[in-house]
Amino acid sequence: MCSWNAMPTAPDNPAAPKPDGSRKVMRGTARLAAVQALYQMDLTQLDASAVITQFTGHRFDEADGAYYDKADEQFFKDLVLGVVRAQRTVDPLISQHLAKGWRLSRIDSILRAILRAATYELSKRQDVPAKVIINEYLEVAHAFFGGDEPAVVNGILDAIARELRPDEVKSPAHS
């Protein structure tokens, strides 16, 4: 697993968005940064505003061509603050889709951050298609994990999307 300050750059990580400045790339970078910010908040107990300030004031502005220089900062802020505001509804939604006997508090902090950000986005960002959200967070999971974790992310997010957006995501029986 990568730490938040050691995320492989695009040449080292094929799952990482390329720094070309497109909206898709900028949002993908914002999603990755939001996951890392949520992870940092979980580990350090810093509040959202302090972590957002660190990212927008320092990490996004690194002059050496670093990973974050093309992030959609408004989207990043919405994701981080949105997860914090919606956590009381997001966490139970994730929990009901975990394997039997698993609790959200028991899973890896990065995995928890990925699921929280994606579930927030599925529930509150109707302007983004569910399939885009799932694919983007699946890429984030691949950036951090080489084992079964991306499959877990895919399965949980697919189930949540079917519940929250049934008209947009068809169940396997209807495909």
Side-chain angles (χ1 to χ4, degrees), residues 70-117:
K70 299 289 185 188
D72 179 334
E73 290 186 30
Q74 287 306 112
F75 192 69
F76 163 77
K77 290 175 187 176
D78 177 64
L79 293 174
V80 174
L81 293 173
V83 168
V84 171
R85 283 191 307 268
Q87 194 165 341
R88 287 190 176 151
T89 57
V90 164
D91 283 2
L93 189 55
I94 296 166
S95 293
Q96 75 185 37
H97 294 287
L98 293 175
K100 186 177 180 177
W102 281 89
R103 293 188 324 262
L104 188 57
S105 61
R106 287 186 56 208
I107 66 172
D108 180 87
S109 294
I110 287 284
L111 188 58
R112 189 169 47 245
I114 291 168
L115 293 171
R116 283 176 171 159

Side-chain angles (χ1 to χ4, degrees), residues 29-164:
T29 303
R31 286 181 178 99
L32 175 65
V35 166
Q36 292 174 326
L38 293 167
Y39 169 76
Q40 181 177 341
M41 289 166 55
D42 196 26
L43 292 184
T44 64
Q45 303 304 308
L46 287 172
D47 69 9
S49 62
V51 174
I52 288 170
T53 298
Q54 283 182 1
F55 274 78
T56 59
H58 304 292
R59 296 193 185 125
F60 289 157
D61 292 333
E62 292 176 0
D64 63 356
Y67 193 80
Y68 292 121
D69 61 349
K70 299 289 185 188
D72 179 334
E73 290 186 30
Q74 287 306 112
F75 192 69
F76 163 77
K77 290 175 187 176
D78 177 64
L79 293 174
V80 174
L81 293 173
V83 168
V84 171
R85 283 191 307 268
Q87 194 165 341
R88 287 190 176 151
T89 57
V90 164
D91 283 2
L93 189 55
I94 296 166
S95 293
Q96 75 185 37
H97 294 287
L98 293 175
K100 186 177 180 177
W102 281 89
R103 293 188 324 262
L104 188 57
S105 61
R106 287 186 56 208
I107 66 172
D108 180 87
S109 294
I110 287 284
L111 188 58
R112 189 169 47 245
I114 291 168
L115 293 171
R116 283 176 171 159
T119 301
Y120 163 75
E121 203 170 333
L122 283 166
S123 65
K124 302 296 185 186
R125 294 298 308 239
Q126 300 301 314
D127 60 312
V128 183
K131 288 184 180 190
V132 169
I133 295 167
I134 293 169
N135 287 336
E136 289 287 318
Y137 286 100
L138 190 55
E139 286 188 30
V140 172
H142 280 289
F144 286 101
F145 300 103
D148 295 334
E149 292 89 347
V152 170
V153 167
N154 190 46
I156 291 171
L157 294 182
D158 184 65
I160 291 170
R162 288 177 198 288
E163 182 177 330
L164 295 177

